[in-house]
Amino acid sequence: MDSKLPSSVRSTLLELFGQIEREFENLYIENLELRREIDTLNERLAGEGQAIDGAELSKGQLKTKASHSTSQLSQKLKTTYKASTSKIVSSFKTTTSRAICQLVKEYIGHRDGIWDVSVARTQPIVLGTASADHTALLWSIETGKCLVKYAGHVGSVNSIKFHPSEQLALTASGDQTAHIWRYVVQLPTPQPVADTSQQISGEDEIECSDKDEPDIDGDVSSDCPTVRVPLTSLKSHQGVVIAADWLVGGKQVVTASWDRTANLYDVETSELVHSLTGHDQELTHCCTHPTQRLVVTSSRDTTFRLWDFRDPSIHSVNVFQGHTDTVTSAVFTVGDNVVSGSDDRTVKVWDLKNMRSPIATIRTDSAINRINVCVGQKIIALPHDNRQVRLFDMSGVRLARLPRSSRQGHRRMVCCSAWSEDHPICNLFTCGFDRQAIGWNINIPALLQEK
């Protein structure tokens, strides 16, 4: 139906729908504030032992009655306004988001699910993917062509990260090792990018089975150069290495393993510098600070830890406790903030100077996988078990949801996301169990204006 309307009419409708949506969101927020005020008032009344409805009550009776009435009122507010808000917001949010978040390119060639996606930080800028098919692939972002295949691991490749200044890649694997390997790529001539924004007539929430996944006639990566031998193999772990990252400067790397430890290695000598112990269960992720010698590790023990290597003589550790289930990832942002995501369906924003409580909490309807933050614009991308990818700001306000239908978007669980703030065509990448990575163009000025 959209295609039958003039573009000016469509633009006007989108603007009106956006205004309606914002009004409902403001109404819902106002009622949440009202609920908090009611809770505060009843607590104060209960503490002072005052009467309600003209009757003198004991503290115990008063607290019970106040709690009951508050619960009824707050539940009514929440049910009434959240139900109406979510119904209308979900109807129109996808319409506006589709114009702001456009699928640009699909990267298809892996033979199994893709665990991780990363973007090179130096020229030439390429996309890297790590897969359960035991390989890592490098791609031309513009053409979607596979440029290099790394086949040095004998287990699932669980993560991939690029060196900050050289053409080196770091991969972590289920074979209990992490590899550092060199790549040389020749970028193909870019082709015009097809406009995919008009391919969807609506946001069809259609459940797709495995047979709907991209058809792969043979291994498309078989004709690209293959690297089979790493420059360095790091072998100190006794379990699956689930993630690895470069420390600032690229002279050291950190790895996270299911053996409940994280290891710090010297790149030049391959020697183990420190073994970081303390987590009670398997590690799920590790991340390094872009400008300081700081590391965060997350774990199934519901915590994440901050390791400080800035002082060579002191290696301090701080434990963050705020989730009730596995912390699937924790990543640094600008300044002194860390963002953590969990299987408890929440994302929390923390100030490293105050570990007691998060400064913002985002509640969702599905478990969170490896998150990524657009540092320059402070936008968080949340990949979910339910195949959704949502965008939030650092204060917890939802900005958009990436389009997903029977013909566009991921068809199975989305495992990871990665921002590329400098690329002119694609500035967000996602990957998942449907064996493909997707490049998106996010119109960030329009996205922030929508907020």
Side-chain angles (χ1 to χ4, degrees), residues 349-413:
V349 182
W350 305 81
D351 185 342
L352 296 181
K353 299 175 183 177
N354 178 17
M355 300 182 297
R356 294 185 177 181
S357 60
I359 58 178
T361 298
I362 301 169
R363 304 188 185 279
T364 71
D365 59 354
S366 181
I368 313 293
N369 295 314
R370 290 182 179 177
I371 58 180
N372 199 269
V373 178
C374 177
V375 175
Q377 302 295 334
K378 299 182 180 180
I379 300 174
I380 312 168
L382 309 185
H384 292 282
D385 274 1
N386 66 2
R387 302 178 286 136
Q388 300 281 3
V389 181
R390 295 182 174 97
L391 307 180
F392 286 80
D393 69 12
M394 295 289 288
S395 62
V397 175
R398 176 178 157 179
L399 302 177
R401 184 183 73 183
L402 299 191
R404 182 177 62 79
S405 71
S406 59
R407 294 175 295 278
Q408 188 177 55
H410 288 286
R411 295 161 175 81
R412 297 181 68 184
M413 181 177 82

Side-chain angles (χ1 to χ4, degrees), residues 62-80:
L62 178 62
K63 191 171 184 179
T64 301
K65 184 167 184 177
S67 176
H68 180 66
S69 61
T70 302
S71 176
Q72 282 186 325
L73 179 57
S74 63
Q75 187 59 42
K76 185 175 181 180
L77 288 172
K78 184 176 180 180
T79 303
T80 302

Side-chain angles (χ1 to χ4, degrees), residues 136-137 145-150 184-185 221-227:
L137 300 181
K145 176 180 174 58
C146 179
L147 304 174
V148 174
K149 175 179 180 179
Y150 182 69
V184 178
V185 295
S221 65
S222 59
D223 59 348
C224 68
T226 300
V227 178

Side-chain angles (χ1 to χ4, degrees), residues 199-215:
Q199 293 180 2
I200 319 174
S201 59
E203 179 105 359
D204 306 319
E205 298 295 337
I206 299 175
E207 294 297 325
C208 303
S209 63
D210 289 354
K211 66 182 180 181
D212 296 316
E213 293 179 7
D215 293 327

Side-chain angles (χ1 to χ4, degrees), residues 96-388:
T96 56
S97 296
R98 193 164 63 244
I100 295 172
C101 310
Q102 296 187 13
L103 187 153
V104 176
K105 184 66 66 174
E106 293 176 325
Y107 305 89
I108 301 173
H110 279 293
R111 306 292 297 180
D112 207 336
I114 303 175
W115 291 115
D116 198 18
V117 61
S118 184
V119 182
R121 291 181 272 180
T122 58
Q123 294 291 340
I125 298 178
V126 295
L127 180 70
T129 51
S131 172
D133 65 8
H134 299 191
T135 70
L137 300 181
L138 304 188
W139 308 81
S140 164
I141 293 176
E142 293 82 357
T143 68
K145 176 180 174 58
C146 179
L147 304 174
V148 174
K149 175 179 180 179
Y150 182 69
H153 287 291
V154 295
S156 169
V157 184
N158 300 320
S159 79
I160 180 170
K161 289 291 184 290
F162 291 96
H163 190 277
S165 59
E166 300 181 43
Q167 291 189 20
L168 297 174
L170 169 67
T171 48
S173 174
D175 62 14
Q176 304 185 6
T177 71
H179 288 179
I180 297 173
W181 45 279
R182 186 174 297 278
Y183 62 89
V184 178
V185 295
Q186 181 68 39
L187 292 181
T189 303
Q191 300 296 320
V193 177
D195 183 7
T196 58
S197 61
Q198 302 299 324
Q199 293 180 2
I200 319 174
S201 59
E203 179 105 359
D204 306 319
E205 298 295 337
I206 299 175
E207 294 297 325
C208 303
S209 63
D210 289 354
K211 66 182 180 181
D212 296 316
E213 293 179 7
D215 293 327
I216 302 177
D217 299 326
D219 187 352
V220 300
S221 65
S222 59
D223 59 348
C224 68
T226 300
V227 178
R228 300 185 184 276
V229 180
L231 293 177
T232 303
S233 182
L234 308 174
K235 301 179 178 180
S236 298
H237 284 294
Q238 304 302 313
V240 167
V241 183
I242 196 65
D245 202 357
W246 304 86
L247 265 71
V248 58
K251 295 182 178 180
Q252 292 180 321
V253 300
V254 63
T255 57
S257 172
W258 285 4
D259 65 10
R260 305 185 182 185
T261 69
N263 286 342
L264 185 67
Y265 294 92
D266 182 274
V267 171
E268 185 176 352
T269 64
S270 305
E271 291 182 357
L272 176 64
V273 179
H274 295 290
S275 184
L276 312 180
T277 60
H279 281 293
D280 295 330
Q281 295 190 43
E282 295 93 333
L283 274 64
T284 57
H285 192 245
C286 63
C287 179
T288 60
H289 194 282
T291 61
Q292 302 182 61
R293 289 175 54 79
L294 299 172
V295 175
V296 284
T297 56
S298 51
S299 169
R300 291 185 60 190
D301 63 11
T302 75
T303 73
F304 69 92
R305 293 177 176 240
L306 170 68
W307 310 83
D308 189 342
F309 298 102
R310 288 175 294 187
D311 186 339
S313 62
I314 303 174
H315 304 120
S316 63
V317 59
N318 293 309
V319 181
F320 289 74
Q321 297 174 319
H323 291 286
T324 59
D325 206 337
T326 296
V327 182
T328 52
S329 63
V331 299
F332 289 101
T333 68
V334 160
D336 294 322
N337 290 341
V338 167
V339 182
S340 60
S342 171
D343 280 345
D344 65 9
R345 303 182 180 184
T346 68
V347 172
K348 297 178 184 288
V349 182
W350 305 81
D351 185 342
L352 296 181
K353 299 175 183 177
N354 178 17
M355 300 182 297
R356 294 185 177 181
S357 60
I359 58 178
T361 298
I362 301 169
R363 304 188 185 279
T364 71
D365 59 354
S366 181
I368 313 293
N369 295 314
R370 290 182 179 177
I371 58 180
N372 199 269
V373 178
C374 177
V375 175
Q377 302 295 334
K378 299 182 180 180
I379 300 174
I380 312 168
L382 309 185
H384 292 282
D385 274 1
N386 66 2
R387 302 178 286 136
Q388 300 281 3

